[in-house]
Amino acid sequence: MTSAAFDTLIEDSENMFVGPWRQPRQMLHAQTYDSHASIHDDATAQKLGFKGGTIEGPTHFSQFAPLCERLWGKEWFETGCISAHYRAAAFEGEEVQAIVEKPADGGNYATIRMMKRDGTEVLRGSASIGSDAPASALDIRLTELKPLNDAVILRDIKLGMTTASQTVRMDFDQNMGELYPFSLEQKLKVITEPSPYYEPECAGASPWGRAIIPVEMLSVLFQHGSKKDRLPVKGPAVGLFADQEIRLLRGPLFVGEDYRIERKVVAMSGSRRTESLWVRTAVFDGSDALVATMLLNLATLKESYATYDQEFALLHPGL
């Protein structure tokens, strides 16, 4: 017998589903890349003007899963898409709440947002199911980007660059490496929205007869081998996720199964503080079928690159 996906208490109003207030846990204190600490380390974050190590963006995706499953049922796990622009960092101990606006006439596209108690908007975007859904929040955002014409950190990156194919997998007790120094088993002890579909002892009760990977951990799986990509990004420098979309085409993805991933640079953009690299990851199963994609904007903080000002002056005189 198939068990229910979640027991999350959801407020059902006339035009929206609202999840409970949650305090996501920070699991990336020990994260390192380029041989230095990341934005999730308190000391590093504070040097860059944050009050402490930030909660990783896709951690928030878990709070939307029960709301989207309420809207679309099993189809959410198979062809769901969550597409978000991160607007403000959240920190351990803060409470956040997920909100999904109900689509009109039972449609396959909804607007989403997450709020803090003080009204700060943590993220906004869209959720949808199916291949015929309207353009996602990040599909639209990509068309609105201003090109990066004065790159320093990304000066050697070219649009269309691709990376070598890699094989990735996620076992329950597998430490996911320097970028993600924890296992799925450890994550499930603190995940904001537990589900029997994620647990090995309940795996047979999922609609697919196997344990599935939570949507927030798909980001971990897809980024697992990213340090091997060797895209020519200047460093060391500190980056953060500014936009992210995870789209399932033939889901869900399963624990203990091999997947092949490839990445492609699809855009570059910038702001006063950042240079942004937009990469789309394509995920294939053992039969070489495309099963999922991830679009990620990794925004690198200019001030964290020690020689940024000097190199900018040399590369772009007169600007």
Side-chain angles (χ1 to χ4, degrees):
M1 180 178 177
T2 301
S3 59
F6 301 100
D7 61 6
T8 303
L9 294 177
I10 298 173
E11 179 186 338
D12 184 354
S13 69
E14 183 178 350
N15 61 353
M16 64 182 64
F17 286 133
V18 181
W21 291 100
R22 300 295 199 201
Q23 292 184 356
R25 292 285 298 276
Q26 163 68 285
M27 297 190 72
L28 296 180
H29 294 294
Q31 184 187 60
T32 60
Y33 61 94
D34 289 342
S35 301
H36 63 83
S38 75
I39 195 71
H40 307 291
D41 168 70
D42 286 342
T44 301
Q46 288 164 1
K47 288 178 183 177
L48 295 167
F50 297 88
K51 73 177 187 180
T54 61
I55 300 292
E56 192 198 17
T59 302
H60 299 308
F61 287 1
S62 280
Q63 286 181 243
F64 291 96
L67 310 182
C68 293
E69 193 271 341
R70 176 73 67 88
L71 274 176
W72 296 305
K74 179 170 172 276
E75 185 70 10
W76 165 250
F77 298 103
E78 296 177 336
T79 66
C81 172
I82 185 164
S83 185
H85 172 51
Y86 299 121
R87 293 175 55 82
F91 305 94
E92 190 154 19
E94 289 186 322
E95 290 187 305
V96 292
Q97 185 178 58
I99 301 166
V100 173
E101 295 187 13
K102 295 179 182 177
D105 304 319
N108 60 353
Y109 180 96
T111 299
I112 67 171
R113 56 195 168 99
M114 173 166 280
M115 309 296 295
K116 296 184 185 182
R117 286 279 191 184
D118 65 2
T120 301
E121 190 172 64
V122 175
L123 66 81
R124 68 165 58 201
S126 65
S128 61
I129 56 166
S131 59
D132 59 345
S136 70
L138 294 193
D139 284 336
I140 296 170
R141 187 163 168 78
L142 278 176
T143 68
E144 300 171 344
L145 296 177
K146 294 181 179 179
L148 181 63
N149 296 318
D150 55 358
V152 175
I153 298 166
L154 301 181
R155 63 180 179 262
D156 295 328
I157 298 289
K158 305 297 181 185
L159 290 179
M161 275 186 170
T162 58
T163 65
S165 178
Q166 295 184 47
T167 298
V168 297
R169 66 183 286 140
M170 181 178 290
D171 294 313
F172 279 108
D173 58 355
Q174 175 187 354
N175 183 292
M176 299 303 291
E178 289 185 348
L179 284 177
Y180 300 97
F182 57 88
S183 67
L184 174 59
E185 183 178 35
Q186 291 170 315
K187 166 59 76 171
L188 293 181
K189 293 177 181 178
V190 298
I191 196 168
T192 56
E193 313 303 326
S195 171
Y197 295 0
Y198 307 152
E199 299 287 349
E201 64 271 17
C202 304
S206 84
W208 309 275
R210 302 175 59 185
I212 70 172
I213 299 174
V215 63
E216 71 166 276
M217 290 296 285
L218 292 178
S219 175
V220 174
L221 178 68
F222 301 162
Q223 283 292 99
H224 179 50
S226 60
K227 292 183 71 171
K228 300 176 183 178
D229 287 343
R230 302 303 178 193
L231 286 171
V233 177
K234 297 298 181 182
V238 176
L240 51 83
F241 290 7
D243 299 87
Q244 188 171 20
E245 174 182 294
I246 293 176
R247 182 185 298 272
L248 292 164
L249 303 169
R250 296 178 62 178
L253 274 63
F254 299 106
V255 177
E257 183 158 323
D258 288 338
Y259 295 96
R260 183 173 63 83
I261 60 173
E262 298 174 353
R263 303 185 219 278
K264 182 178 182 179
V265 176
V266 296
M268 289 184 288
S269 62
S271 70
R272 180 179 59 84
R273 290 191 67 188
T274 64
E275 291 188 11
S276 285
L277 178 64
W278 294 72
V279 176
R280 193 181 304 277
T281 301
V283 187
F284 303 87
D285 67 9
S287 65
D288 220 32
L290 181 65
V291 295
T293 63
M294 181 173 74
L295 177 62
L296 179 63
N297 169 11
L298 183 62
T300 302
L301 293 160
K302 296 175 182 178
E303 63 197 283
S304 72
Y305 182 53
T307 57
Y308 182 88
D309 290 339
Q310 299 95 306
E311 292 183 29
F312 184 93
L314 289 172
L315 291 165
H316 310 290
L319 292 184

